Amino acid sequence: MSILAKTPPMGWNSWNTFGNNISEDLVKGVADAFISRGLKDVGYEYIVIDDCWSEKQRDVNGRLVADKKKFPGGMKALADYIHSKGLKFGIYSCVGTHTCAGYPGSFDHEFTDAQTFAEWGVDYLKYDYCYKPRNVSGEDLYKRMALALRNSGRDIVLSACNWGNDDVKKWIRESGANLYRSTGDISDNWKSILDIFHSQLNEGWSGGIDCWNDMDMLVVGMGGSGENEMVMSTGCNTSEYMAHFSIWAMMNSALMIGCDIRNMTEQTAKILTNKDVIALNQDIEGRGPYCIRQWNNMENVFSLIKPLSGGDYAVAMINISDQKGEMSLQFYDIGLPNASGMGFDFYDCWKHESIGFFTERISLDIEPHECRVFRLKVAKR
């Protein structure tokens, strides 16, 4: 069995925008849009169907059955269509007796379901945490499904979604999962993005190769619209969506798109397909960032610093307040003293251009709710 998640998974999930309103035609349309909108070209590969895809009862053999109205062609044919595009197919289940929306869960059916998913051609399983029997530990249930998937005869990524409960960071890597949700559900508004960000700000150590810290799916481009009232909210402006994408990339979260990519705007496409920002998320070393706060505005303005392979560094300067704020980054705080005779060349990952060579420090004004992202190269003065 090979390493299935050398870098954080990238793809699309149906839940944020569509909730239970999913269908075969929708998923095929999304697969087509992966190609036509350039998502596959920049690394997105998983198309994941979330909850509400199955019938409400298993068949006479105890196997899950796709909803015949939503998916008349069946899951094997749908997986074949997705694979024909050079993409990968993901599906959803739950550790409990039922899924969060009340469909059959995988409790006590782990090996049967893993075999079913393998036969259908599934490449990715999002595994939720609803309706778990109280006398069974979540840790044991994730170990069960990991064991079943690893012996199904097919490579299937296990995305453990227990919302950060039960001290998950202490045992999730040992369970065999490839990524894990560390937070509650996201909503399409700036406050929700900040709440998740703050909850994970000092947790850079907790994810890594083949077991990534998943901060939930992206809301970039949703714009306050969609069919899922559990996620729909006020929406965000362009700067906030750029900051959201930048933070998730810097913190090595999975990049799972949640908007309707078939109809996304050009501005949304530019955010989601930014190769320079994606490269920071997909860096082969998978190192988490550390935080340096602005000394006179510590609660609002700070930088995330992330070592990259090959000697480069990534810096994201963030202003979460409603007022413009200065970020003064002293290079000795990231290991480059002035006595070294060295400095940094700053490449702007959103403007796709160098902003100059700096020694000792850089000081920039950051607009409200803005995140400026740079790739730094060390050079002699």
Side-chain angles (χ1 to χ4, degrees):
M1 185 174 180
S2 59
I3 295 176
L4 301 185
K6 292 181 180 178
T7 57
M10 297 174 61
W12 175 89
N13 181 289
S14 62
W15 180 254
N16 280 2
T17 294
F18 297 100
N20 67 351
N21 296 314
I22 52 178
S23 69
E24 186 174 295
D25 289 341
L26 166 66
V27 177
K28 287 183 176 180
V30 167
D32 295 341
F34 261 58
I35 309 302
S36 64
R37 301 306 300 269
L39 295 171
K40 180 176 182 289
D41 292 338
V42 298
Y44 294 96
E45 59 178 344
Y46 292 102
I47 295 178
V48 182
I49 301 170
D50 211 282
D51 205 349
C52 311
W53 61 264
S54 75
E55 296 284 357
K56 285 294 184 94
Q57 300 292 331
R58 293 174 177 269
D59 68 13
V60 294
N61 297 312
R63 291 167 66 98
L64 294 169
V65 180
D67 186 304
K68 295 178 179 63
K69 293 181 179 179
K70 294 177 180 178
F71 300 95
M75 288 303 180
K76 178 65 168 65
L78 184 56
D80 289 346
Y81 185 87
I82 291 170
H83 292 153
S84 75
K85 303 288 182 179
L87 301 168
K88 296 180 180 179
F89 177 47
I91 207 165
Y92 168 100
S93 190
C94 191
V95 304
T97 59
H98 294 79
T99 71
C100 299
Y103 294 80
S106 290
F107 179 74
D108 269 355
H109 295 270
E110 291 87 358
F111 278 80
T112 299
D113 290 353
Q115 189 61 47
T116 299
F117 298 149
E119 291 173 4
W120 285 347
V122 169
D123 305 294
Y124 184 108
L125 174 64
K126 178 181 173 182
Y127 204 42
D128 220 334
Y129 207 51
C130 290
Y131 296 103
K132 179 185 74 67
R134 286 181 292 178
N135 62 344
V136 183
S137 79
E139 179 179 354
D140 288 346
L141 293 180
Y142 281 107
K143 287 177 178 176
R144 275 197 211 177
M145 183 54 83
L147 180 62
L149 292 176
R150 287 165 175 262
N151 288 274
S152 68
R154 183 176 181 83
D155 287 344
I156 301 176
V157 168
L158 176 56
S159 173
C161 182
N162 87 327
W163 323 314
N165 291 339
D166 305 332
D167 291 322
V168 62
K169 293 171 184 176
K170 294 182 178 179
W171 50 261
I172 192 63
R173 175 171 287 277
E174 291 87 345
S175 77
N178 304 103
L179 65 157
Y180 68 97
R181 268 281 294 284
S182 55
T183 73
D185 291 353
I186 197 170
S187 296
D188 184 19
N189 62 68
W190 180 239
K191 181 181 183 301
S192 177
I193 291 168
L194 286 186
D195 287 346
I196 290 174
F197 171 46
H198 280 129
S199 75
Q200 301 304 305
L201 184 55
N202 297 311
E203 304 292 334
W205 58 271
S206 63
I209 295 170
D210 219 25
C211 192
W212 302 99
N213 181 343
D214 175 13
M215 293 162 56
D216 204 6
M217 297 164 289
L218 298 165
V219 295
V220 173
M222 288 187 63
S225 64
E227 301 174 39
N228 187 350
E229 295 182 356
M230 297 176 67
V231 180
M232 284 175 57
S233 186
T234 57
C236 299
N237 62 38
T238 297
S239 291
E240 291 166 347
Y241 281 142
M242 291 170 68
H244 170 33
F245 190 71
S246 301
I247 292 166
W248 263 234
M250 285 289 293
M251 297 181 74
N252 295 333
S253 180
L255 299 180
M256 301 299 287
I257 300 168
C259 71
D260 185 353
I261 64 170
R262 302 170 304 170
N263 303 308
M264 65 181 171
T265 66
E266 286 303 313
Q267 182 59 56
T268 295
K270 286 182 180 179
I271 295 173
L272 293 173
T273 60
N274 185 323
K275 292 182 180 180
D276 290 328
V277 176
I278 290 171
L280 309 181
N281 177 261
Q282 297 290 295
D283 187 76
I284 58 173
E285 290 193 11
R287 298 187 184 276
Y290 57 92
C291 180
I292 295 177
R293 297 179 181 270
Q294 174 64 16
W295 67 274
N296 58 354
N297 194 3
M298 297 184 70
E299 295 303 313
N300 295 312
V301 182
F302 36 83
S303 290
L304 298 179
I305 316 295
K306 178 176 176 175
L308 303 173
S309 57
D312 290 357
Y313 274 67
V315 172
M317 297 181 175
I318 307 160
N319 176 8
I320 66 172
S321 76
D322 297 330
Q323 306 294 324
K324 182 185 291 187
E326 177 195 32
M327 180 65 221
S328 179
L329 182 62
Q330 317 304 310
F331 295 165
Y332 50 74
D333 286 336
I334 57 177
L336 192 69
N338 192 46
S340 68
M342 311 290 280
F344 286 118
D345 180 72
F346 272 68
Y347 174 85
D348 191 315
C349 293
W350 283 108
K351 295 181 178 179
H352 309 294
E353 63 184 21
S354 174
I355 66 166
F357 178 78
F358 299 85
T359 59
E360 197 166 7
R361 76 163 191 156
I362 185 173
S363 182
L364 297 173
D365 287 333
I366 313 298
E367 297 295 329
H369 303 188
E370 182 183 35
C371 180
R372 298 196 63 180
V373 183
F374 304 97
R375 190 180 188 109
L376 279 55
K377 288 187 178 295
V378 177
K380 290 186 177 180
R381 195 174 300 167

